[in-house]
Each structure stands twice: as C-alpha cells, then as structure tokens.
Amino acid sequence: MLSSHTLSLAIHRNWVDLYETIWKPEFFPKWASGLSQGPLEPEGNGWKGRGPQGPVKVRFTGHNPFCIMDHYIDSGYRKEIFVPMRIVANEEGSQVLITVFRQPLVSDEKFAQELEWVKQDLQALHTLLTT
C-alpha cells in the first residue's frame, strides 16, 4: 500500500460550475505544469503531451455528475500513476482535492518536491480562475 497526501484548494465558485469549467483534458495544460508543458493531443483512448521529463500519456475519467477528474499518467518510466482529483461543495464555494501517492523507491525529499509542485499547480489554477 502506498502512502499518500491530499492537497486542497478553496475556490469561491459553485462546485458544479467549477467542474464544468475545468474538467476537459484540454484545460489541464493551462495550470498543471507537472502534467504537460504544452497542449495535450488526443491519442487512442487518452491524450499525449510533453511532460517536464519528456513524452507523457494521460487518461482522464470521463465527464460525470460527481465532479471526479481522476487521471492516469504514463511517463514511460514506470507503471501508470493514478492521480485522484475531485471537486466538492464547500458552502457557496468549492474545494479542489488532489491526492498524490508516494511511488515506490521515492525518497522523502523527492516526494516533498512532488507535493510542492502540485501545490504550485493548484495555485496556478486558483490564479487562472480568480483573476
């Protein structure tokens, strides 16, 4: 069993409206720098792009009424990585939740760097949606 850490970001926007704005794979490169450094292009049942360390393939959960935006990342180095992502109601606003699983053989330092990267990406999402 992998250890994990869930990061959370509050956005003052209706949760369903927020989901409808950001669920599409084409939107992710606007804020998720760890996922792609440019546009994602459809390929088979997923998407391909250029990640920070090279080519990346991504599969996304389809549009759904539960505001789930899970994705699966394949960078070609190890097995596909599962990244759960949810938007939940927080009174009149929303909470964006992303869980990062610590992969086998990842050091404490490297895991801390990955969490910091996700925090920065969430901040980029917040800036994108609130400015």
Side-chain angles (χ1 to χ4, degrees), residues 38 43 69 77:
E43 180 180 79
M69 297 186 301
Y77 296 112

Side-chain angles (χ1 to χ4, degrees), residues 20-91:
E20 291 299 331
T21 300
I22 70 173
W23 77 269
K24 296 177 185 130
E26 300 95 325
F27 192 82
F28 276 72
K30 294 180 180 181
W31 64 274
S33 67
L35 185 60
S36 182
Q37 303 296 298
L40 291 172
E41 298 176 13
E43 180 180 79
N45 69 341
W47 297 77
K48 68 177 182 175
R50 184 102 186 129
Q53 284 94 28
V56 64
K57 293 181 182 180
V58 187
R59 292 186 302 116
F60 292 92
T61 303
H63 186 265
N64 63 81
F66 309 107
C67 299
I68 294 172
M69 297 186 301
D70 295 351
H71 44 289
Y72 303 81
I73 303 169
D74 180 356
S75 61
Y77 296 112
R78 49 187 162 184
K79 67 178 185 170
E80 193 174 57
I81 297 171
F82 173 54
V83 182
M85 183 173 174
R86 310 282 192 274
I87 297 177
V88 297
N90 180 353
E91 294 189 346

Side-chain angles (χ1 to χ4, degrees), residues 6-9 11 31-32 85 96-98 115-129:
T6 299
L7 299 159
S8 176
L9 169 72
I11 296 181
W31 64 274
M85 183 173 174
V96 178
L97 307 166
I98 296 179
L115 293 174
E116 186 58 36
W117 197 331
V118 173
K119 285 179 191 176
Q120 290 174 9
D121 282 353
L122 283 172
Q123 187 56 50
L125 177 64
H126 186 270
T127 300
L128 181 64
L129 296 170

Side-chain angles (χ1 to χ4, degrees), residues 102 105-117:
R102 183 177 179 164
L105 306 176
V106 169
S107 68
D108 291 344
E109 181 181 355
K110 178 67 174 162
F111 189 58
Q113 289 171 354
E114 289 175 4
L115 293 174
E116 186 58 36
W117 197 331

